[in-house]
Amino acid sequence: MEIIEYIWTPLYVVALGYALTRLSGKKSVAQMHSYDLIFVITLGTAISEPIASKNNWLAGGYSLAIVIIYLLLSKLVLINFFKNTLTSTPTVLIRNGDIDEQGLKQIKMTVEELLGELRIKGFSNPSDIAIALMEETGKVSVIPKSSIRSLQPIDLQLSPKPAFVSIPIIIDGEVIIHNLNFIEKDEKWLYKQLQAYNISEGNIHTVTLATFNQEGALEIDNDHTHDYGKGIYNYKPGDEN
């Protein structure tokens, strides 16, 4: 009888939680699939069971059963027959510059919230958007119209260099030796690069960050403050202007 309880109770809790999460809408999911969110909630509840009942074995059994159910759902969602049942399709919020009011009602989002999402993505006007969707994870994806999207290298028929991640060589005045070895340079080369910035070996502690760039040179940010002066392009929010 106890074995049946271990199986039935987690199934009931997961099914009920999943149904309530889907009913509450995508906004409540917070960038998780519905079954991901309910897994976190139910597992947390099961693990905390010993605090309330002092029954470690019961909590362990429920937690194990919940994990097994979650793993099963993760496998089922990869199968097309179950995927449409366990997940939802994206909801259209804007199409060709026109706000879809029905889509907003479906996911319980206000126009103000939609405008906020657009601003986060760097857009201020819905009419500039080709399509905006709320994905199943609750995240809003935005594709601008071709007339206002960022210019791409392919538009100019250019072949840009491969993406390059700047390599830290000095952080807070400390030389990162293994990174220096990685770029096949030595400290003699480093100090020569520092001289171009009027930084001696004895003043290396003033370097906040030094990185090795794609051109093979060192870029430096030190702890010296800079006076950028006044002007409308140097506005700083607050009352210090």
Side-chain angles (χ1 to χ4, degrees), residues 97-179:
D98 182 39
I99 296 175
D100 190 322
E101 289 80 6
Q102 292 300 319
L104 291 181
K105 290 180 181 179
Q106 181 181 342
I107 63 168
K108 304 174 183 65
M109 174 181 276
T110 65
V111 173
E112 289 80 6
E113 289 174 324
L114 174 61
L115 295 177
E117 291 288 346
L118 294 182
R119 289 194 295 271
I120 291 173
K121 299 292 191 297
F123 303 102
S124 59
N125 196 338
S127 63
D128 294 334
I129 307 304
I131 189 168
L133 304 164
M134 175 166 279
E135 306 294 347
E136 205 274 339
T137 58
K139 191 173 183 179
V140 176
S141 57
V142 177
I143 299 177
K145 292 181 178 178
S146 58
S147 58
I148 64 104
R149 68 175 171 83
S150 300
L151 194 64
Q152 303 296 318
I154 194 172
D155 296 328
L156 302 176
Q157 298 183 346
L158 298 177
S159 298
K161 296 179 180 178
F164 181 85
V165 178
S166 296
I167 302 172
I169 302 300
I170 301 175
I171 298 178
D172 288 332
E174 181 179 352
V175 179
I176 312 301
I177 298 298
H178 63 269
N179 282 353

Side-chain angles (χ1 to χ4, degrees), residues 1 16 28 38 41 51 68 78 91 94-95 124 132 146 157 163 166 180 188 193 220 224 234:
M1 194 67 181
L16 178 62
S28 66
I38 197 60
I41 295 173
I51 299 175
I68 293 173
L78 300 177
T91 302
I94 300 174
R95 187 186 295 277
S124 59
S146 58
Q157 298 183 346
S166 296
L180 195 61
K188 183 178 179 180
Q193 293 286 317
I220 292 178
H224 297 163
N234 293 318

Side-chain angles (χ1 to χ4, degrees), residues 179-191:
N179 282 353
L180 195 61
N181 294 335
F182 177 78
I183 64 174
E184 299 180 349
K185 303 291 184 182
D186 55 21
E187 293 188 51
K188 183 178 179 180
W189 170 88
L190 174 61
Y191 297 136

